[in-house]
Amino acid sequence: MKIALGVTGGVAAYKAAELVRRLQQEKLDVQVVMTRSAQEFITPLTFAALTGKKVITEMFGERDASPANVESAIEHIAVAQRIDLLLVAPATADILGHFAHGIAGDFLTTLYLATKAPVVVAPAMNVNMWEHPATQSNLAALRARGVHVVDPDEGYLACGMTGAGRLAATEAIAKKVLSVLGLRHDLEGQSVLVTAGPTCEDLDPVRFLTNRSSGKMGYAIADASVRRGAHVILVSGPTDLRIPESVDWVPVRTTEEMRTAVLERCGEANIVIMAAAVADYRPAASQAQKLKRGDAGLTIELEPTPDILAQLGGNKGGRTIVGFAAETERIAENARAKLQRKGADIIVANDVTQEGAGFDTDTNIVTLFLRDGREIPLPKLSKFDVANRILDQILTLRAS
Ligand code: C5P
C-alpha cells in the first residue's frame, strides 16, 4: 500500500525519518512530501536516501512551459489518486490551520484537498500553541471531517517548556496508520478458515444448481484476516474474484467437496467463518448423460446436502465458529434458531432484499447475533469493513 508522508516545519521533523523506517517495516511504500519550512530542520536528502525516491519539495519546478514542468504542476493530482493514506507528522499549527480552512498554497495543502484517501495528522508544537483555541477549533473541524488525530504526548518540549505538544511516539503513529489502513496485527498467531462463494450441484454433465453468491463477503474476510496477521485457509466455491495475497486457497465446486476440504483443514484453524452460500439441496441423482428435452414436464428430486457448519459446531474444540444467514424475512428469529441449531458462536445475519446488502454488492448491512443473547446491528459498510467488525467481535469473544 502507498502512503504520502507530509513533513512540516517543527523540531520534531527529524523524528519523521524514524517513522519512515517503521512504516517501511510494514511493507508500506512511502512518498515523502516536505513543506518549505520543514527543509529548514532536515534535508530532503535524508528522506530520499531512506525511501529511494525523489522527495516532493515544491509545487512548481523551473519557470518554463516544458512538458516536465507541466507534469510537476499536476503531480499533486497523480499522487492524490495513487495513495491509500496521507499522514502528516509532525503537523504544525500552521498546516492544521491550512487544512481546516482549505487553503491550498503548496504541494502538501493541495494534496490534502485533492485526495480522497484517509488522512492522519500527528501534531507537534509548543504547549501554548497546542492549547490555543484557534488550534483546538481547527482540530475539531478536522476531526468532524473524519481526519484522524494522533494526540501529542506531554513532556519536555524543545522550546524549554513542559506540557502537551511533543510528537506522539513513532509506535503510536504507526499503529494508528495501520489501523486506519485495516492493517492491525492483532490476529498474529491465529489460523482462520473461511468458506466463500456459492457451491454448484450437478444435474447432468452440462447443468447445475447454484445461487447468486459472488464470494465478495468471504474474500473480504480472508483479505482482512491476512492483513491483520492471521494464517488464512480460503475454501472457495467458483467465483471471478482475485485471490487475496498470502492465503492458502482451496478451490471447490460442490458441497461435498467443500465439506471434505473444511473437515480436512479445520484441525489447523482456531477460527472458522462460514461465509459460503452452500447449497441446501442437491439432485438426488446426477445424470451421467445430458438430460434430453421432451414434451412432458420434468420433476427433479432433490436431497438435503450435509450441513457443514452444524457438523463443525457439534465438534468445536477450542474453535470460534461464525455462520452466516442470508434471509428474506424474520431475520432475528431465523438467526437465533441457527445459532442454536448449528452450535455457532456468532451468526451474521443479513436481509438480502435490502438495497446495499447481500449478494454481489460491495457493501453489506448485517446484524451480529451472539450466543449470550446480544444483538449488534451494524450500519451499511463496505464488505471489508464488515469483515473487520466481525473479526473484532471474534477477538473480543476469544479474550473473554
Ligand atoms: O441454514 P442456512 O443455509 O441458511 O445456513 C447458512 C450458514 O450455514 C452459512 O454459514 C453456510 O455457510 C452454512 N451452511 C453449511 N452447510 C450447508 C448449508 C449451509 O455449512 N449445507
Side-chain angles (χ1 to χ4, degrees):
M1 286 185 135
K2 294 180 169 50
I3 82 163
L5 168 62
V7 182
T8 68
V11 182
Y14 75 94
K15 294 186 182 167
E18 189 185 300
L19 190 56
V20 169
R21 271 278 180 259
R22 180 68 190 83
L23 296 170
Q24 285 173 330
Q25 277 172 7
E26 298 292 338
K27 309 239 176 315
L28 293 171
D29 181 0
V30 185
Q31 168 68 62
V32 176
V33 178
M34 295 179 80
T35 60
R36 193 165 292 240
S37 57
Q39 296 166 59
E40 302 288 334
F41 291 90
I42 180 167
T43 73
L45 193 60
T46 306
F47 294 109
L50 287 172
T51 60
K53 278 200 200 63
K54 186 172 167 284
V55 172
I56 301 174
T57 52
E58 53 195 329
M59 191 77 179
F60 304 103
E62 296 299 310
R63 283 188 188 283
D64 65 34
S66 68
N69 202 22
V70 173
E71 215 169 88
S72 88
I74 54 169
E75 197 181 353
H76 59 285
I77 304 294
V79 175
Q81 284 170 347
R82 203 159 54 220
I83 56 175
D84 298 297
L85 183 138
L86 168 62
L87 166 67
V88 183
T92 55
D94 179 68
I95 200 80
L96 297 176
H98 277 83
F99 281 4
H101 294 92
I103 301 167
D106 66 2
F107 196 98
L108 186 55
T109 46
T110 318
L111 178 59
Y112 167 72
L113 288 189
T115 193
K116 290 226 181 298
V119 179
V120 178
V121 295
M125 64 198 73
N126 158 278
V127 58
N128 291 344
M129 292 174 75
W130 170 249
E131 286 172 355
H132 197 285
T135 306
Q136 289 304 320
S137 109
N138 287 337
L139 275 167
L142 291 173
R143 280 198 171 101
R145 223 178 269 159
V147 171
H148 304 266
V149 180
V150 188
D151 282 332
D153 287 339
E154 292 198 10
Y156 179 76
L157 304 173
C159 55
M161 294 172 74
T162 304
R166 204 163 68 178
L167 182 67
T170 301
E171 202 47 45
I173 301 171
K175 212 165 153 191
K176 173 59 86 182
V177 168
L178 294 177
S179 126
V180 173
L181 287 173
L183 294 174
R184 285 160 286 184
H185 271 207
D186 50 4
L187 286 174
E188 200 94 58
Q190 312 270 5
S191 183
V192 182
L193 187 151
V194 186
T195 66
T199 60
C200 300
E201 306 298 338
D202 291 331
L203 278 165
D204 68 16
V206 296
R207 303 183 182 97
F208 53 86
L209 290 178
T210 188
N211 59 66
R212 291 177 50 205
S213 169
S214 62
K216 284 181 179 171
M217 191 62 241
Y219 275 55
I221 295 170
D223 196 14
S225 304
V226 165
R227 285 167 190 256
R228 289 171 72 162
H231 167 62
V232 176
I233 305 158
L234 174 59
V235 178
S236 172
T239 77
D240 294 331
L241 302 174
R242 191 183 56 78
I243 305 165
E245 262 174 60
S246 311
V247 306
D248 190 351
W249 188 64
V250 185
V252 296
R253 244 188 117 248
T254 64
T255 303
E256 195 51 46
E257 285 172 17
M258 185 170 275
R259 187 174 82 100
T260 307
V262 168
L263 296 181
E264 226 170 75
R265 303 299 299 271
C266 71
E268 295 166 48
N270 49 3
I271 297 168
V272 178
I273 307 175
M274 306 281 286
V278 185
D280 290 319
Y281 293 94
R282 65 186 169 202
S286 168
Q287 308 298 323
Q289 304 301 329
K290 186 180 164 202
L291 286 164
K292 289 279 174 274
R293 182 190 170 86
D295 290 335
L298 176 67
T299 304
I300 295 164
E301 197 189 333
L302 301 178
E303 64 179 15
T305 54
D307 191 328
I308 311 169
L309 180 54
Q311 208 169 334
L312 273 183
N315 180 19
K316 272 172 83 171
R319 283 189 282 275
T320 304
I321 296 184
V322 180
F324 272 70
E327 303 291 349
T328 54
E329 58 175 354
R330 302 206 307 272
I331 316 283
E333 194 184 321
N334 287 328
R336 296 225 161 282
K338 238 165 251 189
L339 209 49
Q340 292 311 322
R341 197 170 67 242
K342 307 209 182 215
D345 298 288
I346 304 175
I347 289 286
V348 182
N350 60 358
D351 177 350
V352 290
T353 63
Q354 275 193 75
E355 178 82 30
F359 299 128
D360 209 19
T361 56
D362 291 319
T363 55
N364 213 350
I365 310 166
V366 305
T367 300
L368 310 187
F369 290 85
L370 274 56
R371 271 196 102 66
D372 62 12
R374 271 181 302 151
E375 263 172 49
I376 306 175
L378 300 181
K380 180 162 146 185
L381 295 168
S382 70
K383 285 189 170 168
F384 185 70
D385 288 341
V386 171
N388 275 311
R389 299 289 191 97
I390 296 168
L391 294 170
D392 290 345
Q393 196 54 55
I394 292 171
L395 282 176
T396 311
L397 284 186
R398 289 187 70 79
S400 62

